[in-house]
Amino acid sequence: MSQSTIPRAAVRGTASGVIFMAFFGTLWAGIGIRGLQGWGFLWLLILSLLIGAILLIGGIVLIMNSNSLSNKMMQGDSQRWKRKNMWFGIIFSLEGVLIAIAAEICVSTNHLDLFVPVMALIVGAHFFPLAHLFQVKIYYISGSLLCLISAITLVTLPIKITWGNHQIMLWWTSVGFSSALILWGTGVAVWVTGHKLLNKARNGSKEA
C-alpha cells in the first residue's frame, strides 16, 4: 500500500472524529453530573474533563503526526471528500435543528425532563447517515447504543429518585453518563483506526 493511497485528509478525518467525540462526550458527562444535582460534583467533573482532555490530545497528536503524509489524492478523491464534508455539514446542521425543536417543544409543554432522552435519540439517529457517509462501522454501533439507552431509560426508569435526603434526576444522569461512555469509547475506536491508517501510510512510504 503506497502512501498516496492514504492521504493526509483521511488520517485527519479520523482525528477530527476523535476530537468531536472528546468534546461531546464531555458535554454528555456534564449533563449526567447536572442530573446528580451536586452529588460528587467536583470529582466527577475532574474525571470527565481528564478523559475528554486525553482524547482531545490524542486527536491533536494524530493531526500533527499526519503532517508528514502527502496531501495528494487520486483523481476524483478530492471531489469525494468535498461531497462528504458537505453532507457532514448538512447532517450536523439538521441534528442541531431537531435538537432545538425538541428543546422548544419540551419547554413549551412543561416536559423538560424528556429533553435529554429525546436529544440522545436524535444524536443516536444522526450516527447512521454518518456511518454510511464515512464508511465507519463503529458509528452504527454507537448510534444503536445511544437510541437503545434512551429508549430503555424512558420505558423502565423513573424520572427522579430520592437517595437519602438527596434528589437525583435519574433520566438525565442515566442518559448523560451512558452517552458520555459511548462517545468516549467511539473516540478511542476511531483513534485506533486513525493510528492504523497513519502506520500504513508511513510503512507504504518506506517501501516505495
Side-chain angles (χ1 to χ4, degrees):
M1 183 177 291
S2 66
Q3 181 182 356
S4 59
T5 305
I6 304 175
R8 187 189 308 165
V11 177
R12 290 193 171 185
T14 60
S16 297
V18 174
I19 292 171
F20 267 86
M21 299 305 161
F23 179 73
F24 287 105
T26 305
L27 284 183
W28 276 105
I31 291 173
I33 292 171
R34 183 179 178 186
L36 292 174
Q37 302 198 79
W39 185 84
F41 174 80
L42 182 60
W43 295 110
L44 288 171
L45 179 63
I46 292 172
L47 180 60
S48 300
L49 291 175
L50 181 61
I51 295 172
I54 290 171
L55 269 177
L56 177 64
I57 292 170
I60 292 173
V61 170
L62 198 55
I63 290 175
M64 293 173 63
N65 289 337
S66 71
N67 288 334
S68 60
L69 303 183
S70 170
N71 204 30
K72 293 181 180 180
M73 298 185 185
M74 297 177 65
Q75 187 176 4
D77 281 353
S78 179
Q79 288 299 319
R80 277 193 289 273
W81 274 101
K82 286 181 180 178
R83 284 196 297 271
K84 285 183 178 182
N85 289 333
M86 179 193 71
W87 278 108
F88 171 76
I90 292 173
I91 294 168
F92 191 75
S93 298
L94 181 59
E95 177 196 25
V97 170
L98 290 175
I99 289 174
I101 292 173
E104 179 61 28
I105 292 174
C106 289
V107 170
S108 61
T109 59
N110 199 28
H111 288 291
L112 187 59
D113 294 322
L114 274 171
F115 175 62
V116 170
V118 170
M119 181 168 61
L121 281 173
I122 295 171
V123 173
H126 108 289
F127 271 102
F128 296 111
L130 288 183
H132 177 73
L133 180 65
F134 293 109
Q135 294 298 298
V136 180
K137 292 182 180 180
I138 189 67
Y139 285 171
Y140 286 115
I141 298 174
S142 304
S144 298
L145 287 175
L146 284 167
C147 292
L148 184 62
I149 287 296
S150 176
I152 290 174
T153 297
L154 288 169
V155 172
T156 65
L157 297 182
I159 298 174
K160 299 176 182 179
I161 61 171
T162 300
W163 192 350
N165 295 322
H166 191 83
Q167 190 177 67
I168 294 174
M169 300 170 66
L170 191 56
W171 280 7
W172 286 37
T173 298
S174 173
V175 175
F177 286 129
S178 297
S179 299
L181 291 175
I182 291 168
L183 294 186
W184 284 333
T186 302
V188 171
V190 173
W191 180 87
V192 170
T193 299
H195 195 65
K196 288 180 179 178
L197 287 175
L198 182 64
N199 287 336
K200 284 183 180 180
R202 285 175 170 174
N203 291 335
S205 177
K206 290 177 182 179
E207 293 171 2

